[in-house]
């Protein structure tokens, strides 16, 4: 999950002087620093590179802006540009991301910590690219008639693989795939828009001898997702009952805790964290949240959460 960000004063201090979010993501020096901020503060076991899934539309020629109190805003796709992007130009635009990974890996390998690279899943990216802002429930039907869907999904498959391969080459030992809007898809469309395109990426990651973690947020049937996509690790969201996951899924599970629990008091948080740790005690489980840390989270609560997880002894 996102671990850097606005809940950290040291992030806000850099962000204040860097209003252009895309530019900040492509600033090797600052983004390397931001990547390490949560590791320095909390000593997490792994770092997720500071970047964004929307750098892909950006590198494919679609303008992306992050507006304050609004989120991302994308310009219309210019298919003249989009259909003619060359691999070399794409890689040149995203080169700072690979430099950030190299730098992070160098710093973390001393402590034997992994560097996690990531991509947005094709469906989630398609949604941002056509909707041009964060989607709300129910506006999906508009897209089914869009004649460009196949073209966009093919391009994303091609360029996401290029981006994944370069992240692995630069030192990312794990690739997380965020399908943050999988939960908007009706059951009948999951196969075409989510399982199939993600499986193509998971197979590619395996072929490159790396590890995949999938996060199909808010879907109802994780068992079916895992059977169809076959990732190495499945990151669950906080709406799914962890007991169902424990009893139906055999691969390594990650995450689940509702980030809103970090806004409660320490006792409530300890109980909730312990619930997840106990549920998965006999299973392969990586503690994590069910979505990113919320901006109004007190960093001390994150520190306490790490203490609770580290001191858990299965009782
Ligand atoms: O912690 C880290 O270092 C990881 C970095 C990371 C970011 N985005 C940085 C970011 C990761 C892994 C992402 C992934 C991402 N980006 C997703 C998938 C994960 C998820 O949360 O569902 C999505 C959907 C995006 C697209 C995106 N980026 C949105 C919708 C927004 C605006 C909403 C928001 O929370 O502000 C962003 C901005 C963004 N990406 C921020 C950060 C730290 C906030 C930047 C700021 O306003 O200062």
């Amino acid at each position: 999950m996102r671990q850097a960000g606005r809940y950290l004063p040291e992030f806000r201090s850099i962000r204040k002087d860097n209003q252009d979010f895309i530019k900040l993501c492509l600033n090797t020096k600052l983004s390397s620093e931001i990547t390490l901020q949560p590791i320095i503060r909390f000593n997490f076991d792994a770092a997720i590179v500071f970047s964004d899934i929307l750098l892909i539309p950006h590198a494919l020629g679609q303008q992306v802006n992050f507006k304050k109190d609004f989120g991302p805003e994308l310009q219309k796709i210019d298919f003249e540009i989009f259909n003619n992007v060359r691999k070399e130009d794409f890689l040149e635009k995203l080169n700072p991301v690979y430099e950030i990974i190299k730098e992070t890996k160098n710093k973390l390998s001393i402590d034997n910590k992994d560097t996690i690279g990531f991509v947005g899943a094709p469906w989630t990216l398609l949604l941002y690219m056509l909707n041009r802002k964060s989607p709300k429930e129910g506006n999906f039907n508009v897209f089914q008639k869009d004649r460009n869907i196949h073209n966009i999904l093919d391009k994303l498959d091609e360029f996401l693989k290029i981006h994944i391969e370069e992240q692995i080459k630069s030192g990312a030992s794990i690739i997380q795939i965020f399908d943050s809007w999988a939960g908007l898809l009706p059951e009948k469309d999951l196969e075409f828009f989510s399982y199939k395109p993600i499986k193509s990426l998971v197979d590619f990651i395996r072929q490159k001898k790396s590890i995949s973690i999938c996060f199909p947020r808010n879907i109802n049937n994780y068992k079916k997702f895992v059977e169809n996509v076959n990732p190495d690790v499945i990151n669950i969201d906080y709406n799914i009952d962890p007991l169902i996951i424990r009893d139906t899924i055999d691969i390594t599970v990650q995450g689940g805790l509702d980030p809103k629990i970090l806004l409660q008091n320490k006792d409530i948080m300890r109980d909730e964290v312990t619930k997840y740790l106990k549920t998965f005690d006999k299973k392969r489980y990586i503690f994590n949240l069910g979505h990113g840390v919320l901006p109004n989270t007190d960093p001390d609560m994150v520190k306490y959460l790490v203490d609770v997880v580290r001191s858990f002894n299965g009782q």
Side-chain angles (χ1 to χ4, degrees):
M1 288 301 116
R2 296 198 210 167
Q3 52 181 221
R6 284 164 297 188
Y7 74 107
L8 293 178
E10 57 270 36
F11 172 77
R12 288 198 302 271
S13 137
I14 292 180
R15 183 76 167 98
K16 178 168 59 71
D17 303 327
N18 294 273
Q19 292 298 319
D20 186 332
F21 186 71
I22 295 276
K23 248 196 183 155
L24 176 59
C25 289
L26 294 174
N27 180 324
T28 304
K29 187 177 167 295
L30 290 179
S31 282
S32 304
E33 194 181 325
I34 295 170
T35 302
L36 292 175
Q37 285 176 346
I39 307 301
I40 292 166
R41 213 187 236 266
F42 307 115
N43 191 27
F44 291 141
D45 295 317
I48 186 156
V49 58
F50 180 76
S51 185
D52 200 274
I53 63 167
L54 297 180
L55 287 184
I56 296 305
H58 165 81
L60 292 173
Q62 184 176 17
Q63 256 197 53
V64 182
N65 291 304
F66 285 85
K67 292 202 330 202
K68 204 169 181 323
D69 304 322
F70 178 80
E73 186 179 60
L74 291 81
Q75 297 301 307
K76 267 210 166 94
I77 303 172
D78 179 340
F79 284 97
E80 210 41 57
I81 299 174
F82 182 79
N83 288 331
N84 295 300
V85 174
R86 292 163 50 227
K87 180 179 174 182
E88 306 85 81
D89 297 330
F90 176 86
L91 285 175
E92 194 183 309
K93 272 194 178 170
L94 295 181
N95 191 53
V97 177
Y98 312 128
E99 293 300 320
I100 296 160
I101 293 176
K102 284 178 201 160
E103 215 159 288
T104 306
K105 182 185 157 72
N106 278 340
K107 297 229 166 83
L108 291 185
S109 52
I110 310 160
D111 291 331
N112 212 4
K113 292 183 192 292
D114 281 289
T115 301
I116 305 174
F118 68 88
V119 291
W123 158 247
T124 287
L125 290 177
L126 176 80
L127 196 52
Y128 278 110
M129 291 168 81
L130 290 177
N131 195 52
R132 296 165 49 208
K133 56 180 169 26
S134 290
K136 291 198 184 71
E137 217 86 28
N139 55 9
F140 164 62
N141 286 338
V142 183
F143 306 139
Q144 279 184 321
K145 293 192 193 70
D146 195 306
R147 59 191 163 83
N148 297 304
I149 281 180
H150 285 270
N151 175 20
I152 298 173
L153 286 177
D154 285 350
K155 271 265 178 286
L156 286 174
D157 183 68
E158 179 187 347
F159 280 92
L160 286 172
K161 284 176 180 165
I162 293 171
H163 189 44
I164 287 170
E165 180 164 20
E166 212 56 33
Q167 292 187 74
I168 294 172
K169 274 191 194 157
S170 307
S173 42
I174 299 166
I175 300 290
Q176 178 143 357
I177 302 172
F178 289 98
D179 209 356
S180 303
W181 296 107
L184 291 185
L185 284 163
E187 185 70 36
K188 66 171 176 46
D189 291 319
L190 277 169
E191 164 70 28
F192 179 78
F193 285 102
S194 185
Y195 303 162
K196 193 166 145 270
I198 296 181
K199 182 169 192 316
S200 171
L201 302 181
V202 162
D203 289 347
F204 181 77
I205 294 165
R206 190 161 286 136
Q207 194 192 315
K208 297 290 162 198
K209 309 253 181 297
S210 193
I211 293 168
S212 60
I213 305 176
C214 288
F215 178 51
R217 187 167 72 93
N218 260 348
I219 59 167
N220 294 318
N221 196 335
Y222 273 94
K223 180 177 156 57
K224 206 166 159 205
F225 180 92
V226 168
E227 281 168 0
N228 277 276
V229 176
N230 190 23
D232 294 308
V233 179
I234 183 80
N235 196 118
I236 57 173
D237 68 84
Y238 53 85
N239 287 319
I240 193 80
D241 182 352
L243 289 171
I244 294 177
I245 299 295
R246 184 195 65 189
D247 295 341
T248 56
I249 286 183
D250 284 326
I251 65 166
T252 304
V253 173
Q254 171 173 301
L257 185 82
D258 188 342
K260 287 194 283 300
I261 298 291
L262 276 81
L263 308 177
Q264 307 277 348
N265 67 43
K266 287 188 173 175
D267 291 341
I268 294 178
M269 185 174 77
R270 191 186 345 91
D271 290 350
E272 287 294 320
V273 171
T274 310
K275 187 181 89 185
Y276 275 90
L277 293 173
K278 274 190 175 158
T279 300
F280 293 106
D281 196 23
K282 303 278 182 294
K283 295 273 199 172
R284 284 165 298 173
Y285 179 66
I286 302 164
F287 185 85
N288 205 326
L289 303 183
H291 206 190
V293 183
L294 295 164
N296 51 342
T297 304
D298 177 354
D300 280 346
M301 287 295 273
V302 179
K303 199 171 178 46
Y304 183 65
L305 177 139
V306 173
D307 288 346
V308 173
V309 174
R310 288 255 153 84
S311 58
F312 178 74
N313 59 10
Q315 297 306 304

